[in-house]
């Protein structure tokens, strides 16, 4: 449906890519990846037709409609949110209006007249097309997508200009999804979405009937939405089958092959050069020298890209706090008549890494501000534990920085033991490279200043970190550095993030914020979703199954019981690995229990004493009960892993 042939593009004097051959087929789901500055957004614009190639060609099949969502910069005015989204269906609205006009004309005409027959025939044709295109369901479609992307019903009648830039981009995304172009091009679509909206978009793209290409720094989002990766690397375009996890493995192999080919080529070049230099002036070797000179000229030199080095940096550890870090007792918070929290009580312990989740506007940022004591409680008590030193990273943290300081100098002052090389490597990780490190903080954009403020905090962490959207404005490499720093950190963290991979890797508990309450869930976000979707209840139900339905005993059909929730959720790779590990652990425990039961049954065959018989019988009963529970859990996990 769309094909690049020998495509190349420059940005000023910089070559982004060349010699690119890529065909997009009707059902492709493609993740476009590459380091910053390699030309991902430029390539997406070329596919959309808003930018041209410097070399090569783009071929588009007849009837291709490409819909493009940029990272930002769209502004909508003059209509309500609902009317703006309904404008996508202008052609259907025009058909609906004509149908109304034709209905009026038919009511006025003589049913036996030729003119009535013409009008009726026209009405039938239009009504058939209108029905075929789901014209009667367009308002429901708009409502579904608006709700999925986080717009409350009261927002639908508000003017679009009342919304911030991030919400404006959401409106643009709603319109694009309603249009359903047969090539959907999305540049960082999750940048302005909360977790619930991302989850909805994942499901929507999973059922999207046409091809799409997207850029995202959210590893989990890529893993569950795409089936191909296109990488801009070493000024070339490389294609990989599978999701992001498979791409990482395949890329490692490709790099190893390239390095081996580079070494072999360098050895051959050195051999040729040594021969040429040694025998250049010997007449008897002139023919061989010329042959080798020609061979040397024909060699197409392999270039190794400048790989971004993995950063190994030990962030300083904070002083230890007491076991109880913070505690809310009967806390309430209101802004005037608007109640945010009521009667909230929970405890945070040393070493907790707590993710706050909930829809936009539920109160996550407010809760972090209450913990940071930048907002007063309306009611209740907040207790900080012994030796606790909180530090707060706000979404607008850059306002706290000295605008006149140069980045590298400022960073050096707070980390005097770090070398310039270490500091520049860290800055490079957070997307400050080359001469950027000498910029004054005041000239940076809001996103750049927030990135720098986050790095600053990591270099001198307190023992209780409160982080509101720390992953905003970070690419995957910077997120990995942040993730490693927080994983190795021995203090306590409460954070808000919309990055599923980041939360799953970091969180040990989840606090769900909503409807004025805070609910506590153990585990990471995947565990939280599993419990919310009935996984815990299903497992409990499996554990208490009657004996005739236990695994191995069969049911009325001679088949093992099937949980109603089996297959209800799609597992991400992280959760699948955890469940597989648990299955192996359960199998070992089941073997141990079966051995113990066999030993107990054998022991009962030899009478020793009444007391010994009673003891063995009790142990045997406990082992059988434990085996029953383990078998039920093993069966439940086995069914879930088959999805």
């Amino acid at each position: 449906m769309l094909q690049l042939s020998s495509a190349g593009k420059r940005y000023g004097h910089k070559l982004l890519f060349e010699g690119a051959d890529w065909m997009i087929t009707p059902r492709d789901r493609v993740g476009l990846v590459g380091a910053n500055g390699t030309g991902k957004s430029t390539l997406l614009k070329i596919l959309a037709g808003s930018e041209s190639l410097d070399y090569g060609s783009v071929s588009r099949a007849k009837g291709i409609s490409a819909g493009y969502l940029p990272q930002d910069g769209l502004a909508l005015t003059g209509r309500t949110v609902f009317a703006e989204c309904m404008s996508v269906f202008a052609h259907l609205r025009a058909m609906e209006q004509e149908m109304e006009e034709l209905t009026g004309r038919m009511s006025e005409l003589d049913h036996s007249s030729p003119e009535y027959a013409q009008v009726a025939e026209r009405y039938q044709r239009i009504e058939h097309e209108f029905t075929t295109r789901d014209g009667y369901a367009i308002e429901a479609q708009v409502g579904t997508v608006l709700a999925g992307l986080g717009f409350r019903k009261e927002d639908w009648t508000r003017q679009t200009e009342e919304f911030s830039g991030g919400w404006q981009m959401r409106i643009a995304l709603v319109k694009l999804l309603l249009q359903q172009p047969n090539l959907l091009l999305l540049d960082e679509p999750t940048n302005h979405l909360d977790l619930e909206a991302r989850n909805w978009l994942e499901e929507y793209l999973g059922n999207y009937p046409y091809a799409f290409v997207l850029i995202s720094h959210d590893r989990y989002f890529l893993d569950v939405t795409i089936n191909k990766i296109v990488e801009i690397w070493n000024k070339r375009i490389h294609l990989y089958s599978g999701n992001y996890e498979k791409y990482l493995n395949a890329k490692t192999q490709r790099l190893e092959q390239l390095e081996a080919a580079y070494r072999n080529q360098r050895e051959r070049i050195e051999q040729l050069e040594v021969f040429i230099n040694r025998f250049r002036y010997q007449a008897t070797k002139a023919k061989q020298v010329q042959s080798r000179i020609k061979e040397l000229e024909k060699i197409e030199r392999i270039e190794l890209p400048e790989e971004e080095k993995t950063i190994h940096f030990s962030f300083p550890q904070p002083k230890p706090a007491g076991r109880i870090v913070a505690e809310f007792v009967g806390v309430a918070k209101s802004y005037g008549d608007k109640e945010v929290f009521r009667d909230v009580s929970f405890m945070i312990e040393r070493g907790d890494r707590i993710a706050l989740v909930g829809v936009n506007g539920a109160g996550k940022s407010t809760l972090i501000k209450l913990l940071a004591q930048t907002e007063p409680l309306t009611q209740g008590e907040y207790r900080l534990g012994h030796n606790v030193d909180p530090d707060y990273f706000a979404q607008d943290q850059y306002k706290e920085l000295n605008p006149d300081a140069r980045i590298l100098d400022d960073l050096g002052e707070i980390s005097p033991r770090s070398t310039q090389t270490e500091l520049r490597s860290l800055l490079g990780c957070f997307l400050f490279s080359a001469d950027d490190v000498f910029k004054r903080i005041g000239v940076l954009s809001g996103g750049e200043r927030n990135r720098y403020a986050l790095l600053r905090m990591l270099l001198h962490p307190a023992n209780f970190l409160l982080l509101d959207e720390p992953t905003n404005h970070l690419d995957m490499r910077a997120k990995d550095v942040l993730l490693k720093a927080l994983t190795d950190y021995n203090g306590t963290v409460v954070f808000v993030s919309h990055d599923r991979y980041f939360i799953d890797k970091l969180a040990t508990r989840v606090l769900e914020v909503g409807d004025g309450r805070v609910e506590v869930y153990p585990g990471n976000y995947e565990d939280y979703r599993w419990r919310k979707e009935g996984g815990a209840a299903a497992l409990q139900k499996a554990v208490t199954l009657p004996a005739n339905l236990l695994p191995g005993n069969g049911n009325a059909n001679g088949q093992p019981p099937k949980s109603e929730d089996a297959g209800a959720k799609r597992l991400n790779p992280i959760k699948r690995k955890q469940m597989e590990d648990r299955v192996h652990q359960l199998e070992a425990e089941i073997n141990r229990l079966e051995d113990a039961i066999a030993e107990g049954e054998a022991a009962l065959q030899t009478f020793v004493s009444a007391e010994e018989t009673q003891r063995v019988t009790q142990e045997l009963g406990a082992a059988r009960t434990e085996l029953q529970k383990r078998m039920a859990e093993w069966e439940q996990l086995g069914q879930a892993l088959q999805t």
Side-chain angles (χ1 to χ4, degrees):
M1 60 188 286
L2 188 148
Q3 185 170 4
L4 294 178
S5 302
S6 302
K9 182 68 177 178
R10 288 186 174 275
Y11 187 78
H13 296 295
K14 180 183 180 182
L15 177 66
L16 297 178
F17 55 85
E18 62 180 352
D21 296 310
W22 175 21
M23 178 182 289
I24 302 175
T25 59
R27 293 285 295 177
D28 276 353
R29 278 113 166 76
V30 182
L32 184 55
V33 303
N36 282 287
T38 54
K40 299 188 298 294
S41 293
T42 300
L43 181 53
L44 212 60
K45 291 174 184 175
I46 289 168
L47 298 178
S50 60
E51 283 208 18
S52 60
L53 289 169
D54 292 323
Y55 318 104
S57 61
V58 184
S59 303
R60 290 179 171 82
K62 188 176 180 181
I64 289 295
S65 59
Y68 170 58
L69 181 78
Q71 285 189 38
D72 48 39
L74 296 181
L76 304 167
T77 60
R79 285 192 278 216
T80 65
V81 169
F82 195 82
E84 184 67 41
C85 295
M86 284 292 289
S87 68
V88 167
F89 301 109
H91 60 296
L92 288 174
R93 300 299 295 276
M95 291 170 64
E96 188 176 29
Q97 187 175 352
E98 185 177 358
M99 286 164 56
E100 290 176 1
E101 292 171 357
L102 292 172
T103 301
R105 288 181 63 189
M106 286 190 294
S107 67
E108 297 170 355
L109 293 171
D110 181 355
H111 288 199
S112 61
S113 68
E115 187 178 0
Y116 178 87
Q118 290 177 349
V119 172
E121 183 184 358
R122 171 69 177 166
Y123 177 87
Q124 288 175 352
R125 287 203 311 270
I126 294 175
E127 202 273 340
H128 175 73
E129 183 179 357
F130 187 78
T131 303
T132 303
R133 295 189 182 188
D134 282 336
Y136 292 110
I138 56 177
E139 291 190 356
Q141 290 178 40
V142 171
T144 298
V145 180
L146 280 172
L149 290 179
F151 288 90
R152 299 168 300 178
K153 203 149 190 176
E154 53 265 35
D155 294 330
W156 299 3
T157 54
R158 292 173 56 192
Q159 295 293 309
T160 55
E161 57 264 32
E162 296 177 28
F163 289 85
S164 65
W167 283 93
Q168 292 254 350
M169 295 305 296
R170 284 202 198 199
I171 298 170
L173 179 57
V174 171
K175 292 177 65 179
L176 206 53
L177 298 181
L178 289 168
Q179 288 169 4
Q180 284 205 341
N182 45 31
L183 178 57
L184 188 59
L185 304 167
L186 306 175
D187 195 348
E188 296 283 2
T190 58
N191 266 1
H192 309 289
L193 303 182
D194 56 22
L195 277 170
E196 287 70 22
R198 286 185 188 209
N199 294 339
W200 182 89
L201 183 59
E202 287 166 13
E203 295 293 333
Y204 185 92
L205 292 177
N207 297 313
Y208 195 71
Y210 307 113
F212 61 78
V213 180
L214 59 87
I215 299 170
S216 177
H217 292 309
D218 188 323
R219 194 172 302 192
Y220 177 87
F221 184 77
L222 285 174
D223 262 339
V224 299
T225 55
I226 57 97
N227 57 25
K228 289 183 181 178
I229 287 284
V230 170
E231 182 189 35
I232 305 178
W233 180 68
N234 205 17
K235 301 180 179 61
R236 297 279 179 174
I237 285 181
H238 303 274
L239 281 70
Y240 299 84
S241 295
N243 63 9
Y244 189 81
E245 191 68 29
K246 291 181 179 177
Y247 145 74
L248 288 177
N249 296 331
K251 182 184 176 181
T252 300
Q253 295 174 5
R254 173 171 279 180
L255 182 57
E256 289 172 354
Q257 292 169 358
L258 183 66
E259 288 172 343
Y262 175 80
R263 287 193 299 271
N264 291 336
Q265 188 183 78
R266 288 305 310 164
E267 288 176 7
R268 181 57 182 161
I269 289 171
E270 287 172 7
Q271 291 171 359
L272 293 172
E273 288 176 341
V274 167
F275 186 93
I276 292 167
N277 293 332
R278 184 176 179 183
F279 299 110
R280 182 184 295 273
Y281 302 109
Q282 293 187 19
T284 57
K285 298 286 187 180
K287 188 174 181 180
Q288 293 96 318
V289 169
Q290 287 302 314
S291 172
R292 282 162 175 76
I293 289 173
K294 288 179 180 178
E295 182 183 346
L296 193 61
E297 290 172 347
K298 288 179 181 178
I299 292 177
E300 187 174 340
R301 305 300 172 99
I302 296 172
E303 290 185 22
L304 286 180
E306 292 184 9
E307 282 296 305
E308 296 175 321
K309 295 178 182 178
T310 303
I311 301 300
H312 299 287
F313 189 91
S314 297
F315 293 96
Q317 295 296 341
K319 62 184 180 182
R323 186 179 70 82
I324 305 302
V325 172
E327 187 176 6
F328 269 21
V329 181
V331 167
K333 177 63 179 177
S334 300
Y335 294 100
D337 295 332
K338 183 181 179 182
E339 180 186 65
V340 183
F341 297 117
R342 62 181 178 276
D343 195 25
V344 169
S345 299
F346 62 85
M347 184 182 295
I348 298 172
E349 298 187 16
R350 184 180 61 240
D352 276 346
R353 297 197 287 266
I354 297 174
L356 303 185
V357 304
V359 298
N360 272 354
K364 300 186 296 294
S365 292
T366 300
L367 181 55
I368 283 227
K369 289 175 182 175
L370 294 177
L371 289 168
Q373 297 179 304
T374 61
E375 286 276 354
L377 306 181
T378 303
Q379 187 177 318
E381 186 179 358
Y382 173 34
R383 303 168 186 161
L384 269 180
H386 173 69
N387 214 23
V388 173
D389 177 22
D391 199 357
Y392 171 49
F393 176 85
Q395 291 187 37
D396 56 355
Q397 188 66 28
Y398 63 84
K399 294 179 181 178
E400 305 296 322
L401 302 175
N402 177 6
D404 298 323
R406 294 197 312 174
I407 294 176
L408 191 60
D409 297 339
D410 185 66
L411 204 61
E413 286 182 10
I414 63 171
S415 185
R417 295 185 180 181
S418 302
T419 66
Q420 290 276 305
T421 302
E422 287 177 323
L423 293 178
R424 292 193 70 148
S425 295
L426 277 171
L427 285 166
C429 251
F430 283 75
L431 310 183
F432 298 104
S433 56
D435 292 339
D436 289 345
V437 302
F438 301 113
K439 286 182 178 178
R440 299 200 180 276
I441 294 170
V443 304
L444 303 178
S445 68
E448 288 173 330
R449 280 184 281 182
N450 258 17
R451 283 205 307 271
Y452 176 65
L454 181 61
L455 173 55
R456 224 170 163 270
M457 174 182 277
L458 292 175
L459 284 172
H460 189 62
N463 59 19
F464 183 29
L465 294 182
L466 303 161
L467 309 176
D468 195 356
E469 298 283 10
T471 52
N472 273 5
H473 313 292
L474 301 183
D475 67 357
M476 286 190 191
R477 187 163 179 253
K479 286 178 185 177
D480 286 344
V481 173
L482 174 61
L483 182 59
K484 185 179 186 309
L486 294 177
T487 302
D488 294 343
Y489 169 72
N490 60 22
T492 306
V493 186
V494 177
F495 67 100
V496 178
S497 174
H498 296 153
D499 188 296
R500 278 283 299 273
Y501 180 84
F502 186 86
I503 299 174
D504 274 337
K505 284 289 190 181
L506 184 62
T508 58
R509 284 206 290 163
V510 170
L511 298 190
E512 181 188 49
V513 182
D515 297 324
R517 299 189 176 278
V518 175
E519 299 289 338
V520 182
Y521 293 84
N524 62 11
Y525 188 77
E526 189 68 23
D527 297 321
Y528 156 75
R529 286 286 302 275
W530 178 72
R531 290 175 183 278
K532 290 287 287 184
E533 293 172 9
L539 188 55
Q540 181 63 31
K541 180 180 177 182
V543 168
T544 56
L545 284 172
N548 67 321
L549 291 182
L550 283 172
N553 293 331
N555 55 21
N557 299 317
Q559 299 294 326
K562 293 183 179 179
S563 164
E564 295 175 2
D565 294 283
K569 95 175 256 64
R570 178 176 60 212
L571 297 175
N572 80 346
I574 299 168
K575 186 61 181 177
R576 179 172 288 276
K577 180 65 167 61
Q578 292 173 342
M579 293 175 72
E580 288 171 348
D581 291 344
R582 178 59 179 159
V583 166
H584 294 319
Q585 182 184 356
L586 285 169
E587 288 170 348
E589 292 176 2
I590 288 168
N591 289 335
R592 178 183 58 78
L593 287 166
E594 287 176 339
D595 290 344
I597 290 169
E599 289 176 6
E601 290 173 341
L604 286 177
Q605 294 177 12
T606 304
F607 180 80
V608 177
S609 67
E611 292 80 6
E612 180 65 10
T613 299
Q614 184 178 7
R615 184 189 68 79
V616 173
T617 302
Q618 288 176 345
E619 289 181 353
L620 195 58
R624 285 170 175 159
T625 302
E626 198 65 26
L627 177 63
Q628 180 176 308
K629 291 180 180 179
R630 295 291 184 269
M631 288 289 289
E633 185 182 354
W634 176 79
E635 173 73 11
Q636 181 73 15
L637 290 171
Q639 290 174 359
L641 285 168
Q642 290 174 9
T643 60

